[in-house]
Amino acid sequence: MTDFAATRCLFHLPEGMIYLDGNSLGPLPKSAAERVAAMMRDEWGEMLIGGWNRAGWMAQPMALGDRIGALIGAEPGHVTVGDTLSIKVYQALAAALAMTDRKVILSDNGNFPSDLYIAEGLIGTLGRGHELRVVEPEAVEDTLDESIGVLMLTEVDYRTGRLHDMKGLTEKAHALGIVTVWDLAHSAGALSVDVSGTRADFAVGCTYKYLNGGPGAPAFIYVAPRHAETARPALCGWLGHEAPFAFDPDYRPGAGVERMRVGTPPILQFAALNAALDAWDGVDMADLRAASQRLSERFIAEVEARTDLVLASPRDPARRGSQVSFRHPDGYAVMQALIARGVIGDFRAPDILRFGFTPLYLGEEEVVEAAAILSEILTTGTWDRAEFHQRQAVT
Amino acid sequence: MTDFAATRCLFHLPEGMIYLDGNSLGPLPKSAAERVAAMMRDEWGEMLIGGWNRAGWMAQPMALGDRIGALIGAEPGHVTVGDTLSIKVYQALAAALAMTDRKVILSDNGNFPSDLYIAEGLIGTLGRGHELRVVEPEAVEDTLDESIGVLMLTEVDYRTGRLHDMKGLTEKAHALGIVTVWDLAHSAGALSVDVSGTRADFAVGCTYKYLNGGPGAPAFIYVAPRHAETARPALCGWLGHEAPFAFDPDYRPGAGVERMRVGTPPILQFAALNAALDAWDGVDMADLRAASQRLSERFIAEVEARTDLVLASPRDPARRGSQVSFRHPDGYAVMQALIARGVIGDFRAPDILRFGFTPLYLGEEEVVEAAAILSEILTTGTWDRAEFHQRQAVT
């Protein structure tokens, strides 16, 4: 059994805060600041440019890729880390489109908007009459047909936590000759993902949510081994070249997923991410999933026993990711009032109160207390103060 | 007069090392480790997701953009920071191509290979018969004609330090209806750049060279005010959206250069970069340029007095950036021997010994000593040992 009491000790959690927003930004691993400081002092400070070889910086995108790959069921050597998730979506989608003559990208309106924007931007850049077809999440399966070239989905809906059937949809897509791009932003570190077993063609994700890599931590991309040597990179950066330091005038793609590297990777962010990934050593993803479901179920039960909030997430825990959402017409103000009481979740337009459950550092007592505070805020009406209605730039 | 003795005190320089590679990776600013640690402890650790508002993380791409903008002559509010230089080249080039019906991108073989690769990748993605025409640097001016849509150049040649006439070429390009994209990788923090005065259309650069932002420090992009509200972003990430937190299904570009933001910015790298940029407070770029030329001229004189190395850089200091290169048929081994003696420059294929001059932290004595050591290595033939011929992954 995974020892979650031990993993909890690895994170700094502020006094008096119940943090139910690890699905947006994970907390600080206690070892991260010293890890980054050591990298800066001993590697950047002392080795300077020599750090690329001597400290192994150049190899880190693939080394980190393997650490993340182990958490998402990827074959070793088939994940690389760098850039941001939006960039990785662009890379995956461009490579997927290059594998088909069909013009339609199918997605759903539960996909994170940036993925849809990236698709729009790519379609505009291509200028060849591609179409982004966006349907309701529940309609995806029935919409799949031979007109569709690429199915691009986020496995877990950022609003409701609804979980797509990644294996089933991928199978059906493949039977129809459709290439799949899966965004695992809310899956990696939250679920027992198996990109290899589900036969996903491309998968991407970020590392600042459940993986706790810190603000602006880099993204990752997986290319299935069967495509790795033929996938065509759209963002042909020098570090994706077969021999970056040969300074060839012409681009030749690197081996496998290495071609999805672009520019100089962010070594400070990498140091923090490496520290964060240590917390996963010894974690069994099935244990994690079970613990996440226990916490989520308990939260739903407590909230429903105390309030009349309407559940926005699927009731069946097997159909949810690691978050629970409720609807409230004044969700923004309610969330601000909660935050003022130290319960941190987030609001997603138009009416979603979103709570993430992260067994690595979250226990059942806090979940119960969070529900009690939420109930108190709703019962006493304290959420309906002017101060809680004032919009901030980032919500 | 700029006090370079004072700026030198701001950097950590390893004992016994003469660092002539600040044009590849700048040294560690002494304040950077504590700045990053404080950000991690006080902002990420204590504010968690709240840091995006309360610590101002969300505003940093533009705030850092203005700090860099001041060093390259940009109008305030017209530079944003994030991603890598290769990504920023892609953004600038894609936006530039969208402004013209012409199909030819003109560049030179002194451009950094990644810029050329990115252009090749973009052309492949566009699939509409664009052409990348690559000429000798000296032939650029005469090749400009009305068939060319975009002129994409790096101002300073990464091999030889040869400096393009940014103002003259931009003027001639504009007269012919050509859009310009300038890569300032080896210019920002090295020269008195004036993107506004030269009327560059787009400019991009990195911050880990002369700006000392650290390994993997983010890139920047400048869009001329006259294009800022019409430039079409190809990488339509959510943070370039007019209202990222509205989670609109459709992309609407943000105001001005903000549309060139893509995904979640790297806040740890930003903290280090902010510390590094403090060193520029009070630096007069004309003083810096003069000091760089003094150091470079002295180095050339010392090397030529002691060795028969052939200068690969322009002899006229007004036509060089802030580096000096010499040719040697066994340049790789010579550079390894130099590095073994604590003189850090770098080798660029096929035969270039490259030395960067960075007045912020480099003095004349070290330049003379570096030349003496180089001369000793060449005279005694110590470079011709097997160990110095062994290639490393990164050189």
Side-chain angles (χ1 to χ4, degrees):
Chain A
M1 282 295 291
T2 303
D3 182 357
F4 291 116
T7 58
R8 182 185 175 110
C9 293
L10 301 175
F11 293 92
H12 173 75
L13 300 163
E15 270 304 304
M17 183 187 284
I18 299 176
Y19 195 62
L20 304 180
D21 211 0
N23 51 335
S24 197
L25 176 68
L28 176 68
K30 286 179 184 164
S31 63
E34 177 47 30
R35 192 79 66 92
V36 173
M39 190 288 293
M40 294 176 74
R41 186 181 60 227
D42 303 335
E43 300 180 2
W44 178 10
E46 294 300 323
M47 301 179 192
L48 289 118
I49 191 67
W52 289 105
N53 273 317
R54 288 169 56 205
W57 297 342
M58 197 49 85
Q60 287 183 1
M62 296 301 293
L64 280 163
D66 277 344
R67 296 193 78 180
I68 292 164
L71 302 177
I72 60 167
E75 301 85 349
H78 289 278
V79 175
T80 192
V81 175
D83 306 302
T84 65
L85 179 49
S86 294
I87 296 292
K88 292 310 184 201
V89 169
Y90 190 88
Q91 289 187 298
L93 186 58
L97 285 175
M99 291 164 59
T100 178
D101 292 328
R102 303 178 191 169
K103 298 285 190 186
V104 180
I105 302 162
L106 179 66
S107 192
D108 69 32
N109 58 25
N111 204 342
F112 191 65
S114 200
D115 295 30
L116 304 179
Y117 304 159
I118 285 287
E120 284 181 53
L122 178 56
I123 287 171
T125 299
L126 291 169
R128 293 201 291 278
H130 285 84
E131 176 200 337
L132 174 63
R133 194 173 298 165
V134 178
V135 300
E136 293 293 324
E138 297 70 22
V140 167
E141 189 178 346
D142 290 343
T143 311
L144 289 172
D145 65 30
E146 290 183 345
S147 72
I148 292 158
V150 176
L151 174 64
M152 177 184 82
L153 294 174
T154 295
E155 187 187 17
V156 178
D157 189 314
Y158 75 105
R159 305 161 309 175
T160 63
R162 176 205 37 73
L163 188 61
H164 270 307
D165 173 8
M166 186 166 160
K167 189 172 173 63
L169 287 172
T170 302
E171 262 174 27
K172 181 160 182 193
H174 286 172
L176 292 161
I178 299 167
V179 187
T180 58
V181 174
W182 286 98
D183 181 339
L184 304 176
H186 290 269
S187 308
L191 307 172
S192 303
V193 183
D194 182 9
V195 290
S196 174
T198 54
R199 296 197 50 81
D201 298 290
F202 297 89
V204 295
C206 66
T207 65
Y208 46 76
K209 296 179 184 291
Y210 294 95
L211 298 178
N212 312 305
F220 63 85
I221 184 168
Y222 163 81
V223 181
R226 65 190 178 279
H227 305 311
E229 298 299 337
T230 51
R232 207 182 74 189
L235 301 169
C236 301
W238 69 310
L239 293 185
H241 191 281
E242 190 182 36
F245 291 88
F247 299 103
D248 275 346
D250 292 311
Y251 182 78
R252 285 177 286 126
V257 76
E258 292 225 44
R259 68 190 58 188
M260 294 301 175
R261 294 176 63 166
V262 186
T264 306
I267 302 302
L268 277 69
Q269 306 280 161
F270 277 6
L273 178 57
N274 251 320
L277 291 175
D278 288 352
W280 294 95
D281 292 344
V283 173
D284 180 306
M285 295 306 284
D287 291 349
L288 182 97
R289 175 68 169 148
S292 149
Q293 291 184 334
R294 270 197 307 277
L295 293 173
S296 308
E297 287 293 275
R298 182 72 192 267
F299 186 69
I300 293 172
E302 294 286 336
V303 171
E304 293 191 332
R306 296 159 189 259
T307 76
D308 54 2
L309 282 175
V310 178
L311 185 67
S313 301
R315 187 157 298 275
D316 177 359
R319 308 194 66 156
R320 283 197 311 263
S322 200
Q323 69 173 73
V324 167
S325 301
F326 287 96
R327 292 189 197 283
H328 188 286
D330 281 298
Y332 180 85
V334 173
M335 184 52 71
Q336 293 304 308
L338 261 177
I339 291 170
R341 289 286 302 274
V343 179
I344 315 298
D346 45 25
F347 167 75
R348 285 293 174 258
D351 61 356
I352 295 278
L353 298 167
R354 186 177 83 166
F355 304 95
F357 297 91
T358 49
L360 281 195
Y361 51 84
L362 190 72
E364 205 147 335
E365 274 176 42
E366 288 155 298
V367 163
V368 174
E369 196 183 336
I373 294 173
L374 174 58
S375 157
E376 196 187 314
I377 284 169
L378 291 170
T379 312
T380 58
T382 50
W383 60 270
D384 201 13
R385 290 190 198 144
E387 71 206 74
F388 297 137
H389 288 272
Q390 268 171 0
R391 296 277 171 152
Q392 294 184 288
V394 185
T395 54
Chain B
M1 282 293 291
T2 303
D3 181 357
F4 291 115
T7 58
R8 182 185 176 111
C9 294
L10 302 175
F11 293 92
H12 173 75
L13 300 164
E15 270 303 305
M17 183 187 284
I18 299 176
Y19 195 62
L20 305 180
D21 211 0
N23 51 335
S24 197
L25 176 68
L28 176 68
K30 285 178 184 164
S31 63
E34 177 48 29
R35 193 79 66 93
V36 173
M39 190 289 293
M40 293 176 73
R41 187 181 59 228
D42 302 336
E43 300 180 4
W44 179 11
E46 294 300 323
M47 300 179 192
L48 289 116
I49 191 67
W52 289 106
N53 272 319
R54 289 169 56 205
W57 297 342
M58 198 49 84
Q60 287 183 2
M62 297 301 294
L64 280 162
D66 278 344
R67 296 194 79 180
I68 292 164
L71 302 177
I72 61 167
E75 301 85 350
H78 289 277
V79 175
T80 192
V81 175
D83 305 303
T84 66
L85 179 50
S86 294
I87 297 293
K88 293 309 183 201
V89 169
Y90 190 88
Q91 289 186 298
L93 185 57
L97 284 176
M99 291 165 58
T100 176
D101 292 328
R102 303 177 190 170
K103 299 283 191 187
V104 180
I105 302 160
L106 179 66
S107 192
D108 69 32
N109 59 26
N111 204 342
F112 191 65
S114 200
D115 294 30
L116 304 178
Y117 303 159
I118 285 287
E120 285 180 53
L122 178 57
I123 287 171
T125 299
L126 290 169
R128 293 201 291 276
H130 286 83
E131 176 200 340
L132 174 63
R133 193 174 297 165
V134 178
V135 300
E136 293 292 324
E138 298 70 22
V140 166
E141 189 177 346
D142 289 343
T143 311
L144 288 172
D145 65 30
E146 291 183 346
S147 72
I148 291 159
V150 177
L151 175 63
M152 177 185 81
L153 293 174
T154 296
E155 188 187 16
V156 178
D157 190 313
Y158 76 104
R159 304 160 310 174
T160 63
R162 176 206 36 73
L163 187 61
H164 270 308
D165 173 8
M166 186 166 161
K167 189 172 173 64
L169 287 172
T170 302
E171 262 174 29
K172 181 160 181 192
H174 286 173
L176 292 160
I178 299 167
V179 186
T180 58
V181 175
W182 286 98
D183 181 339
L184 304 176
H186 290 268
S187 307
L191 307 171
S192 303
V193 184
D194 182 10
V195 290
S196 174
T198 55
R199 299 201 41 86
D201 298 289
F202 297 89
V204 295
C206 66
T207 64
Y208 46 76
K209 296 179 183 292
Y210 294 95
L211 297 178
N212 312 305
F220 64 85
I221 184 167
Y222 163 81
V223 181
R226 63 189 178 281
H227 304 311
E229 298 299 336
T230 51
R232 207 183 74 188
L235 300 170
C236 301
W238 69 309
L239 293 185
H241 191 281
E242 191 181 37
F245 291 88
F247 299 102
D248 274 346
D250 292 311
Y251 182 78
R252 285 177 285 126
V257 76
E258 293 225 44
R259 68 189 58 188
M260 295 300 175
R261 295 176 63 166
V262 186
T264 308
I267 302 302
L268 277 70
Q269 306 280 161
F270 277 5
L273 178 57
N274 252 321
L277 291 174
D278 288 350
W280 295 94
D281 292 343
V283 172
D284 180 307
M285 295 307 284
D287 291 348
L288 182 97
R289 175 70 169 147
S292 149
Q293 291 184 332
R294 272 197 307 277
L295 293 172
S296 308
E297 287 293 274
R298 183 72 192 268
F299 186 70
I300 293 172
E302 294 287 334
V303 171
E304 293 192 330
R306 296 158 189 257
T307 75
D308 54 3
L309 283 176
V310 178
L311 185 67
S313 301
R315 188 157 298 276
D316 177 359
R319 308 195 66 158
R320 283 197 312 263
S322 200
Q323 69 174 74
V324 167
S325 300
F326 287 98
R327 290 187 198 283
H328 188 288
D330 281 296
Y332 180 84
V334 173
M335 185 51 72
Q336 293 304 308
L338 261 176
I339 290 170
R341 289 286 303 275
V343 178
I344 315 298
D346 46 24
F347 167 75
R348 285 293 175 258
D351 60 357
I352 294 277
L353 296 167
R354 187 177 82 166
F355 304 94
F357 297 92
T358 49
L360 281 195
Y361 52 83
L362 191 71
E364 204 147 338
E365 275 176 40
E366 288 156 297
V367 163
V368 174
E369 196 183 337
I373 295 172
L374 173 58
S375 157
E376 195 187 314
I377 284 169
L378 291 169
T379 313
T380 58
T382 50
W383 61 269
D384 201 12
R385 289 189 199 147
E387 71 206 72
F388 297 137
H389 287 272
Q390 269 170 359
R391 295 279 171 150
Q392 293 183 288
V394 185
T395 55

